[in-house]
Amino acid sequence: MVDITHKASTLRVATAQAVVKVSKPETIDAIQKGTVPKGDVFAMSKAAGLLGVKKTPDLLPDCHPLPIEYTGIDYKIEGLDITVLVTIKTIYKTGVEVEAMHGASVVALNMYDMLKPIDKGVEIHHIKLLEKKGGKSDYKDKFRRDLQAAVIVCSDTISEGKKEDKAGKAIIAKLENCEVGILDYIIIPDEVEIIQEKAKLYQEQGADLIIYTGGTGLSKRDVTPEAIKPLLDRTIPGIEEAIRKYGQDRMPYAMLSRSVVGTIKNTLVMALPGSTNGAKESMEAIFPEVLHVYRILKGARHD
């Protein structure tokens, strides 16, 4: 299976269809009047479809087991065509397109099985996905492409050359993946004055985003939040909560991080953990969606 542990859960919706074509009007009449020998075609096929949706990962080896939180199965009759519509909803890390298509297929196949004693010409057509929503792909085209970020590594040991920086490089890799340009990348010691000086400098130089990594823990030298907070016009608690929630889902020590996010005028400033995994997971938790903040700072409404 594909590794989806880095993904965050979002609302996922998919609608699929299948068309069951009968060969004579009498078949439609029998369905509507409930005189098909094998029973209520629509009710039994709906039950089969519900089971099909739930059993999808049992039959398709690369499909992840996931919570199905809503399944809607509807029918539409037009002439000799019966269109089956299956809508699936979940809040999870991966989509439900295959579950919707599998459900539509099973509904159609059960209808075929129930109708074949009275109609030898039943056919199944046009099994396809009609619509899907949810996941990061829904938001990827809504962000500016001219953003510039400064990445600042706060660490005494790294600035002294005693240790290699990996957290800052992980942050840069995610920024580049999100098409954010790198204005600068520097390493500084854990000193309040230097941390504040760099925030002021890059904000004045027009950086859209300033990301610090390191100094958010609880040791005496972890002073990044204390340095940054007095400079912020506003904090953004929702982003801080998203970072900690994502980390906490993956390891219990994430609750000890003191990540800070806020704005200095129109510049977004973040203080993220200094560990490689902590920095990487913090970026995974909020990017690219956090870039929507620049539309809001410009006065745009939330969609």
Side-chain angles (χ1 to χ4, degrees):
M1 286 187 182
V2 175
D3 184 0
I4 60 171
T5 56
H6 64 285
K7 293 186 176 182
S9 294
T10 57
L11 174 62
R12 311 282 185 142
V13 184
T15 300
Q17 76 159 29
V19 177
V20 178
K21 181 182 287 291
V22 303
S23 65
K24 52 188 178 180
E26 292 81 4
T27 305
I28 298 294
D29 291 339
I31 294 171
Q32 293 177 325
K33 293 176 181 178
T35 58
V36 175
K38 285 194 173 185
D40 188 328
V41 174
F42 285 165
M44 291 185 66
S45 299
K46 181 176 181 178
L50 293 173
L51 291 173
V53 169
K54 294 175 184 177
K55 291 289 186 179
T56 301
D58 293 339
L59 299 174
L60 302 178
D62 202 38
C63 282
H64 295 81
L66 48 77
I68 301 296
E69 301 183 66
Y70 170 79
T71 300
I73 298 177
D74 298 300
Y75 304 97
K76 181 170 61 176
I77 299 174
E78 293 180 300
L80 298 181
D81 291 351
I82 304 170
T83 300
V84 179
L85 296 173
V86 177
T87 298
I88 310 293
K89 295 182 182 181
T90 190
I91 297 177
Y92 198 61
K93 302 173 184 179
T94 189
V96 286
E97 302 97 304
V98 174
E99 285 77 6
M101 293 178 69
H102 186 226
S105 302
V106 172
V107 171
L109 188 58
N110 191 77
M111 292 179 69
Y112 176 92
D113 180 60
M114 295 184 70
L115 295 174
K116 65 182 180 182
I118 64 170
D119 189 338
K120 302 300 183 184
V122 178
E123 298 177 349
I124 297 174
H125 296 268
H126 306 303
I127 298 171
K128 63 180 181 180
L129 181 69
L130 296 181
E131 183 181 27
K132 71 168 185 173
K133 296 179 181 178
K136 292 189 175 183
S137 60
D138 274 8
Y139 306 101
K140 66 180 181 180
D141 293 324
K142 296 184 179 180
F143 309 122
R144 286 171 48 194
R145 295 291 187 268
D146 60 342
L147 298 173
Q148 295 288 311
V151 178
I152 305 170
V153 179
C154 300
S155 170
D156 291 332
T157 55
I158 296 175
S159 66
E160 293 170 1
K162 297 177 180 179
K163 184 180 176 182
E164 179 187 356
D165 168 54
K166 294 182 180 179
K169 292 175 182 176
I171 289 171
I172 289 172
K174 185 63 176 179
L175 289 172
E176 290 176 342
N177 181 257
C178 296
E179 300 182 43
V180 176
I182 307 303
L183 178 66
D184 203 357
Y185 161 61
I186 62 168
I187 299 170
I188 62 174
D190 293 301
E191 297 289 348
V192 170
E193 295 79 7
I194 299 176
I195 293 170
Q196 291 181 335
E197 173 192 324
K198 296 304 179 183
K200 295 174 184 176
L201 172 66
Y202 290 121
Q203 193 277 323
E204 290 172 358
Q205 288 182 355
D208 301 288
L209 177 60
I210 302 171
I211 301 181
Y212 291 87
T213 175
T216 63
L218 292 168
S219 75
K220 291 182 179 180
R221 294 291 291 169
D222 288 330
V223 295
T224 307
E226 286 74 20
I228 290 174
K229 283 181 180 179
L231 305 180
L232 299 177
D233 300 324
R234 291 181 293 182
T235 59
I236 311 177
I239 301 177
E240 299 169 356
E241 292 161 10
I243 290 170
R244 276 187 277 274
K245 171 65 169 59
Y246 189 92
Q248 190 68 21
D249 286 342
R250 287 154 179 80
M251 67 95 70
Y253 299 152
M255 64 183 176
L256 301 177
S257 175
R258 299 183 300 127
S259 296
V260 173
V261 180
T263 57
I264 302 175
K265 296 183 179 179
N266 285 342
T267 299
L268 184 64
V269 182
M270 301 181 185
L272 304 182
S275 69
T276 304
N277 281 343
K280 184 177 180 180
E281 290 174 358
S282 296
M283 295 294 287
E284 290 286 356
I286 59 175
F287 279 82
E289 293 86 353
V290 73
L291 300 180
H292 183 63
V293 73
Y294 296 103
R295 287 168 52 86
I296 305 306
L297 290 172
K298 293 284 188 180
R301 296 184 178 183
H302 291 289
D303 294 334

